[in-house]
Amino acid sequence: MKFENKRQSAEAHEAISTQIRRDIVSMLLEAGSGHSGGPLGTTDIYSVLYFGGFMKYDPSNPDWAERDRFVLSAGHMAPVLYAALANAGMFPREELMTLRKYGTRLQGHPGRDMGLPGIETSSGSLGQGISIAVGMAMSDRLLDKNKRRVYSLTGDGELQEGSVWEAAMSASNFGLDNFCWIIDNNDCQIDGRLRDVMNVYPIDEKCRSFGFDTIVVDGHDFNQLYAAFDRFTENWQKGTGVPTAIVAETKMGKGVSFMEDQYEWHGKPPNAEEAKIALSELD
Ligand SMILES: [Mg+2]
């Protein structure tokens, strides 16, 4: 079953998110490696972005020139992007089970040269995707008459990369109101809490000082996510010259009780027993 891309109820998004989360758990079990926490934690953002009528894409014509662009800067969170794209009809859902297998188009980090529909760029080296996305937004402004929106998602740990802030500075310097920066703020990174590794707080004030219209939302509240993406769309349509940042407060591993808010699940797949429990909780 393929989900539609239009404004829909919170209940409908709940069902979409549950399907995506089930896919993530199944893919990771089958792969035997990969990242569970971030993908499950950001699922509701994809639910609204790809199935709430915000991302403009056409599964029957994935290379459509006027499509919006999405760049997953935190490339290790690829399973959620793959699951969202498959459920949008960009490629067959069966292919999800090839994640990380030899020769697959679903590499552990997205690879543009794999030819998977919906993957705009290779990513995974942290701090780089956002710069690529800002470049795309600039090119759209200069060459293509501002027809597209460009979205990029970074992790909160990724904010420790200096190049992220160069990209942010450029986005406001060049007035890129067609650029939406989504920050997954789960207060977890591979080795622990953000404050214990390298404090990046206050994130919202940093974004504001870098010139972004900054909105802090509960990343699991569909209404708040709709309001934030609506405000971005408004900034773009009105031509405010101000880029938008959405700081989404999320729970790593959301939906699976024993993974929730546990940074140990950053880069670990479930084993068979854990996957069974996870899928029963996501029923
Ligand atoms: Mg994080």
Side-chain angles (χ1 to χ4, degrees), residues 110-163:
R112 168 74 178 163
D113 52 348
M114 295 295 133
L116 193 70
I119 299 301
E120 300 291 350
T121 186
S122 301
S123 63
S125 293
L126 294 175
Q128 299 187 0
I130 178 175
S131 293
I132 296 169
V134 166
M136 286 176 176
M138 279 181 73
S139 130
D140 180 51
R141 174 63 48 81
L142 292 169
L143 305 174
D144 293 324
K145 303 191 176 66
N146 201 25
K147 284 184 190 142
R148 291 187 295 264
R149 285 164 289 187
V150 182
Y151 299 87
S152 185
L153 187 144
T154 66
D156 49 8
E158 193 176 1
L159 304 182
Q160 295 156 354
E161 298 279 357
S163 56

Side-chain angles (χ1 to χ4, degrees), residues 38 76-77 155-158 184-190 192 194 250 252 266:
H76 60 274
M77 293 195 221
D156 49 8
E158 193 176 1
D184 172 36
N185 182 203
N186 58 12
D187 196 30
C188 289
Q189 62 185 106
I190 190 165
L194 268 69
T250 65
M252 172 173 278
H266 166 94

Side-chain angles (χ1 to χ4, degrees), residues 45-84:
I45 298 168
Y46 289 81
S47 186
V48 172
L49 186 58
Y50 279 83
F51 305 98
F54 292 102
M55 269 293 284
K56 195 170 59 171
Y57 58 89
D58 179 1
S60 68
N61 183 16
D63 291 329
W64 178 33
E66 289 184 26
R67 70 191 184 280
D68 290 336
R69 305 291 203 266
F70 176 79
V71 177
L72 178 58
S73 194
H76 60 274
M77 293 195 221
V80 60
L81 175 58
Y82 296 151

Side-chain angles (χ1 to χ4, degrees), residues 2-282:
K2 161 178 171 301
F3 293 112
E4 286 184 276
N5 182 22
K6 59 171 192 189
R7 292 187 88 88
Q8 35 195 330
S9 66
E11 290 72 30
H13 279 292
E14 203 64 67
I16 293 167
S17 289
T18 299
Q19 180 60 55
I20 293 174
R21 288 193 172 98
R22 291 181 62 85
D23 284 341
I24 292 168
V25 170
S26 305
M27 292 159 74
L28 287 165
L29 172 66
E30 180 67 24
S33 67
H35 299 74
S36 303
L40 291 168
T42 51
T43 296
D44 296 326
I45 298 168
Y46 289 81
S47 186
V48 172
L49 186 58
Y50 279 83
F51 305 98
F54 292 102
M55 269 293 284
K56 195 170 59 171
Y57 58 89
D58 179 1
S60 68
N61 183 16
D63 291 329
W64 178 33
E66 289 184 26
R67 70 191 184 280
D68 290 336
R69 305 291 203 266
F70 176 79
V71 177
L72 178 58
S73 194
H76 60 274
M77 293 195 221
V80 60
L81 175 58
Y82 296 151
L85 291 171
N87 281 289
M90 298 290 268
F91 58 87
R93 279 191 61 227
E94 301 82 74
E95 197 173 343
L96 291 176
M97 293 306 138
T98 69
L99 175 71
R100 287 179 169 245
K101 295 201 189 293
Y102 184 70
T104 183
R105 299 198 291 178
L106 281 66
Q107 296 288 309
H109 298 76
R112 168 74 178 163
D113 52 348
M114 295 295 133
L116 193 70
I119 299 301
E120 300 291 350
T121 186
S122 301
S123 63
S125 293
L126 294 175
Q128 299 187 0
I130 178 175
S131 293
I132 296 169
V134 166
M136 286 176 176
M138 279 181 73
S139 130
D140 180 51
R141 174 63 48 81
L142 292 169
L143 305 174
D144 293 324
K145 303 191 176 66
N146 201 25
K147 284 184 190 142
R148 291 187 295 264
R149 285 164 289 187
V150 182
Y151 299 87
S152 185
L153 187 144
T154 66
D156 49 8
E158 193 176 1
L159 304 182
Q160 295 156 354
E161 298 279 357
S163 56
V164 165
W165 300 101
E166 292 184 49
M169 190 160 47
S170 303
S172 61
N173 180 66
F174 294 110
L176 301 178
D177 51 45
N178 56 342
F179 176 62
C180 181
W181 180 15
I182 306 159
I183 296 168
D184 172 36
N185 182 203
N186 58 12
D187 196 30
C188 289
Q189 62 185 106
I190 190 165
D191 288 326
R193 296 283 171 199
L194 268 69
R195 277 183 193 82
D196 298 331
V197 180
M198 171 72 81
N199 190 8
V200 299
Y201 294 105
I203 295 172
D204 55 339
E205 285 177 31
K206 283 192 172 70
C207 294
R208 279 187 197 104
S209 75
F210 273 75
F212 280 71
D213 182 14
T214 303
I215 310 151
V216 180
V217 298
D218 173 340
H220 305 301
D221 182 314
F222 297 113
N223 294 321
Q224 289 187 30
L225 286 166
Y226 263 87
F229 285 120
D230 274 338
R231 193 152 118 196
F232 163 57
T233 306
E234 225 178 277
N235 278 333
W236 174 57
Q237 285 171 341
K238 285 187 180 157
T240 57
V242 177
T244 303
I246 300 175
V247 182
E249 295 175 342
T250 65
K251 210 174 242 185
M252 172 173 278
K254 173 75 176 174
V256 177
S257 57
F258 57 89
M259 293 186 191
E260 283 192 359
D261 205 28
Q262 303 297 316
Y263 67 79
E264 292 81 1
W265 282 97
H266 166 94
K268 197 167 73 160
N271 63 28
E273 186 55 30
E274 289 160 342
K276 207 173 130 193
I277 299 168
L279 289 172
S280 74
E281 289 184 4
L282 291 166

